[in-house]
Amino acid sequence: MEHLEDLKLDRESLGYDKSNSVAIIVGLAFMVIFRFIGYLATKAPKVSALGRSGFCIVVLGDVGHSPRMLLHARSALSAGYKVDIVGYKGSRLPEDLENHPSIQYHFIRELPRVSESMPKIVYYLYAPIKAFILSWQLFLLTMFTVAAPEVYVVQNPPSLPTLHVMQIVNWLKQRHLVIDWHNYGASIVAHRLGQDSIFTKATAFYEKFWGFKATIHITVSRTMARDLLYKYEKRGKVVTLYDRAPASFHRLDTEEVHQLMEELKLEQLVKGQTLNSGFLPTIGKNQTLFTEKKSANGPATFRSDRPALIVSSTSWTADEDFQLLLNAAKQYDDQSKDENKGKKVATMPKLLFVITGKGPLKQHYEEVMSKMNFENVAFVTTWLSPENYPRLLGSADLGVSLHTSSSGVDLPMKVVDMFGCGLPVCAFSYPALSELVVSKSNGLVFENAGELRSQFVQLFKGYPLDQPDSQAQLAGMRKVIASTFQSTRWEDNWTNTLFPLLRNMDKTWADSQMFAENPVEPVYNFEDDDQEEQEDEEEFVADEAEAEE
């Protein structure tokens, strides 16, 4: 007995604390309760379109102004999924998706934004309140209104509060989470508040912590994929899904251009938004600003006195230097007045810039442009329907991208749209851009207003306005775009790259963990970019020589 008494455990000597047991029991109780809530939430409510084959897209932004996520929706529908889309109700949705029977929309009430002209202290005070309200809305909606899908596809940015809410909801419902990394939320905050701001550092920590784990991390560039793999060490399958325009994007023929210009009536925008009444040619019967017909039933042709049509799409934010474009246009206007002086036929044509998009700085720049009295340049702004936007791109002579990239690793969607319509571009240069725009092959790159002005002169001096396809350099660029970029559309890219991973999400996750536990050296060769760019330039030179012959 004495021996047994010696063996008795002394709770105090083992560090036993009753409060620890209580904490463990409470923690387990909360876990069971939350798991039970998650189980109840997997029951499909009547308002949801989802079943077991569900594909839930979450974008804490204007759904109609989120083209990549809408392309995900189209591809998921084609693959047989039923789709739920969670986001803000704003721009009009494309006709083919607006009333689709297999899509259910769940709109979140959008809260007001803090104007960029307001003091930073207002942003600091308002941001936490806004994040809390949006978190609660998003949690209730995705947890209890939307049924448990097979997969949640979440757009990032915005990071806060999307990432932590969807990580929690996904954990409770035991589904698969896919994060589509368009950019880094911290880089966007840094652009506004500065790199040393406490909000910037907090957002970076938040994004790294809550974005650490997902079954699939989708990136828009290989540069971003390398970042996620080797800098941030994300857990899950990392795959690059390049943006590609859908098959509906194409270059318009002259008849289609004539029909579009009859509908848009751009000459009325020029009259209403510019000071130069002499910019427009005379427009008579069966004529538009760009095209004409000899008779009502005759073939359409381009006018020899038309302006060159240049299109730029912008979000009207501080990360796109629109003033740079205005400065380049002014320099072109000054040079064209000197070049054309005393000549019967102008060697430098008029340029009409059509600017699409919406954003916080739009009104400011509209006021600036309305006071500019150019002779050979005009700017107009417009907002086009989802159907007319690609038609305008397919009618243009040149596209301009001012996207500067707050992170340096994303790619401009506007250039993707332009390439989808066979439209060459002049794009602002930054490191990752070479994955999309190859200088002197499918476009040109610039770093300042002077370079952009010289590119306008290079491309349009002596430009055959009535036969635009005969300009050798632009024609060569269009040929390269058609043979490379347009040969693969979004549908094919999604089906070949992402869909195989979605078909067996459990295997995708298991395979990604094997990679994480046994890391390998990166197979990406940084010299490939230079070699590919050199090959593209050689191909372009050969195409130019062939066109001249």
Side-chain angles (χ1 to χ4, degrees), residues 431-536:
L433 185 69
S434 60
E435 292 187 40
L436 182 60
V437 180
V438 180
S439 183
K440 299 180 182 178
S441 178
N442 55 16
L444 299 172
V445 297
F446 61 88
E447 294 183 353
N448 53 59
E451 290 182 0
L452 182 56
R453 183 267 308 160
S454 66
Q455 291 171 5
F456 291 155
V457 175
Q458 174 187 343
L459 294 174
F460 293 114
K461 187 174 181 179
Y463 188 62
L465 296 167
D466 55 343
Q467 294 180 328
D469 289 337
S470 64
Q471 206 274 7
Q473 189 169 10
L474 286 173
M477 291 177 180
R478 282 192 287 267
K479 186 174 181 180
V480 172
I481 293 169
S483 63
T484 55
F485 194 88
Q486 289 183 308
S487 62
T488 303
R489 294 293 185 168
W490 170 270
E491 295 86 350
D492 301 325
N493 202 25
W494 193 92
T495 301
N496 296 331
T497 304
L498 186 59
F499 186 51
L501 303 176
L502 295 174
R503 290 171 64 179
N504 194 337
M505 298 290 281
D506 291 331
K507 183 177 184 302
T508 298
W509 172 250
D511 290 345
S512 71
Q513 298 318 291
M514 291 176 60
F515 174 82
E517 292 168 7
N518 302 284
V520 297
E521 291 298 317
V523 296
Y524 180 77
N525 185 355
F526 290 88
E527 295 179 355
D528 286 348
D529 280 342
D530 297 332
Q531 183 177 350
E532 289 175 8
E533 184 171 340
Q534 183 178 354
E535 291 174 355
D536 288 336

Side-chain angles (χ1 to χ4, degrees), residues 64-65 67 70 74 90-96 98 248-249 260 263-264 266 269 311 313 354-358 362 381-394 417 421:
H65 201 53
L70 293 178
R74 284 195 182 94
S91 307
R92 188 173 72 81
L93 295 164
E95 291 180 357
D96 62 321
E98 189 170 16
S248 58
F249 282 57
L260 176 64
E263 296 175 18
L264 295 183
L266 294 178
L269 293 179
V311 177
S313 177
V354 178
I355 314 299
T356 69
K358 62 179 183 178
K362 182 179 180 180
T381 61
T382 186
W383 175 253
L384 299 170
S385 68
E387 294 75 30
N388 279 340
Y389 173 62
R391 295 173 69 196
L392 178 66
L393 296 182
D417 294 337
C421 294

Side-chain angles (χ1 to χ4, degrees), residues 183 188 191 315-321 361 402-406:
N183 203 343
I188 295 175
H191 193 279
S315 56
W316 299 105
T317 54
D319 64 345
E320 293 189 2
D321 187 2
L361 296 178
L402 300 170
H403 183 75
T404 57
S405 180
S406 58

Side-chain angles (χ1 to χ4, degrees), residues 15-69:
Y16 175 78
D17 188 345
K18 187 176 181 180
S19 61
N20 289 341
S21 298
V22 174
I24 293 173
I25 293 172
V26 171
L28 290 173
F30 271 106
M31 183 176 294
V32 170
I33 291 171
F34 271 101
R35 286 292 191 186
F36 182 67
I37 292 173
Y39 168 76
L40 293 178
T42 61
K43 304 300 182 182
K46 295 179 181 179
V47 296
S48 178
L50 291 178
R52 181 59 186 169
S53 59
F55 191 95
C56 182
I57 294 171
V58 179
V59 46
L60 213 60
D62 181 351
V63 173
H65 201 53
S66 304
R68 182 175 169 97
M69 305 312 285

